[in-house]
Amino acid sequence: MYVFAKGLFDAGFAVTFIQDRKDNFPHSQPVWEDVECFFRSGFDYQNIDWDTFEKDNNWVKPFWYFKPSIAINGEKEIFRKSPIFWPIKFVACRYLRKRPESLAIFETMKSCDFLIVSGIDASILAMLSGKPYMVFPHGSDMRVAIGAETAGTGWNARILEALLVYAFKKAACIGSQLPDASAEVSSREYKRLKDMRVDRVPLSYLPHDRLSREIRRERLKTLFKKIDIDLVEADFYCFTPSRINFYWKGHDRLFEAINQNREILKIHFIFLGWGDDYQQAMAYVDQNDLHRYITVVPIFCSKQILFRFFEAVDVIIDEFNGSGSYGTGLSEAMSRSCPVITWISDMFDKPGWEAPPVIQARSKEEISEAIVKVSNGEIDLDDWSMKTAAWFNRVHSNAAVKQVVNEKFGHYLDAGRL
């Protein structure tokens, strides 16, 4: 949500961002978005003190950033101040007893004119605040709401699910940059909220022109030197930004396609050294002697370093499994006008939605065909770069997102705050 808040602020909106400090994953930390840093493979993020990390990296929080404080018995104040029907807020406040930062979040929400929330706790607090709000699901919250995933076992989990469903129903809208709102399951798996409407609300990023081939090469060499590893010479460079995962991402098919076509490929493939199948991927590269074609960079890097990769390579490979949607990695790569090889399903074939222009591939055969055609020049990457830039400006630029937000929520925001 920090990315969303930054984009809205850049687009001219008055915003307040409330940080979820229970989430310790690096991708959820604002500092991870803003500074150039990386961990070596095998890091243990669970033990990171992010307050210290922010100071060590000289990160200065934006003035619109709010870190909630802890209050004992805060749920009693929430119950007293919430305008919601008392049986609902009674049950919700019992759930919030174990979340001592809830009162500070609730009070800050009450000071805003419109709320954009993500996650189970935030959705319930937004409902309790009585303020108009949009739920912007991140994945598991959506799956729990529709019944495709549970919040746990026992009665407490069932009550939590009921509160979340109620919060979804009371929202001004469910917004997402994806038609399935990150559910990543088929409509057949919806047990609840089967008629729920999802409004298109894309994340915003600043667009960047494509760099020349010469500048890209120099920047890639500089980046590899910063990481202290050698860059293999090649005609083309392809980067895969997501974690290495065979089940969720389909990267096993990519490794197999590279190995199968190794004698004719003029591409060097760059992966990041993290994910459930990182060690297995390394073993595959060693066993098949693929070091001329593949570099697994042994780091987990911040967003700013990812952007440096996006602007320095010739093409990005995203995921091949899942529901055929796209995540922040694809939109961020496209903000640098970089072509992308991935699989996009027909979920965007409906009024008001527009699929990103990508080089489509899903099966091992399709992946092989795509990388071979890139290698021999049959796929014109410059042409795909122009298509990418045009789509990005229509859908994800600050101006485009500002127009969407004003059209959908402008009547809540006259001289107000998000």
Side-chain angles (χ1 to χ4, degrees), residues 117-239:
V117 295
S118 181
I120 295 175
D121 289 6
S123 298
I124 293 172
L125 281 166
M127 175 267 292
L128 289 172
S129 75
K131 293 288 185 175
Y133 62 94
M134 173 181 74
V135 178
F136 194 87
H138 59 61
S140 61
D141 51 350
M142 179 67 177
R143 289 188 291 275
V144 170
I146 63 176
E149 192 175 292
T150 67
T153 58
W155 279 106
N156 286 339
R158 301 291 84 76
I159 292 170
L160 178 58
E161 291 169 10
L163 288 170
L164 182 63
V165 171
Y166 186 78
F168 267 60
K169 288 180 177 179
K170 290 298 180 181
C173 81
I174 309 299
S176 179
Q177 61 182 3
L178 305 172
D180 71 344
S182 298
E184 295 188 343
V185 297
S186 72
S187 58
R188 296 187 300 275
E189 296 184 52
Y190 282 49
K191 298 176 183 177
R192 301 184 286 258
L193 304 175
K194 294 182 179 181
D195 297 325
M196 179 177 59
R197 171 181 166 178
V198 177
D199 287 319
R200 185 180 71 86
V201 183
L203 296 175
S204 67
Y205 303 91
L206 293 174
H208 293 74
D209 293 333
R210 186 73 163 148
L211 300 175
S212 69
R213 182 185 180 92
E214 292 74 20
I215 294 176
R216 293 203 302 271
R217 291 295 175 271
E218 286 304 313
R219 294 202 175 181
L220 191 59
K221 290 176 183 176
T222 301
L223 185 53
F224 266 65
K225 187 175 182 180
K226 176 184 177 70
I227 300 168
D228 196 26
I229 58 175
D230 295 328
L231 177 64
V232 175
E233 288 291 330
D235 289 356
F236 299 95
Y237 291 95
C238 174
F239 177 54

Side-chain angles (χ1 to χ4, degrees), residues 3-4 18 24 26 68 75 107 121 135 137 140 215 226 251 268 277 284 295 311 352 355 379 417:
V3 174
F4 206 162
I18 305 173
N24 212 43
E75 75 280 357
E107 296 281 18
D121 289 6
V135 178
S140 61
I215 294 176
K226 176 184 177 70
H251 290 149
H268 192 73
D277 297 306
Y284 186 87
T295 294
E311 69 183 14
I379 290 178
R417 295 186 68 82

Side-chain angles (χ1 to χ4, degrees), residues 3-4 6-8 10 33 177 202-208 303 307 326-336 392-393 395-401:
V3 174
F4 206 162
K6 283 178 68 175
L8 292 171
D10 290 340
E33 292 284 335
Q177 61 182 3
L203 296 175
S204 67
Y205 303 91
L206 293 174
H208 293 74
K303 191 63 65 66
F307 278 128
Y326 69 91
T328 55
L330 181 143
S331 48
E332 287 165 352
M334 287 189 160
S335 75
R336 265 53 182 179
F392 182 86
N393 277 289
V395 175
H396 284 284
S397 67
N398 281 350
V401 174

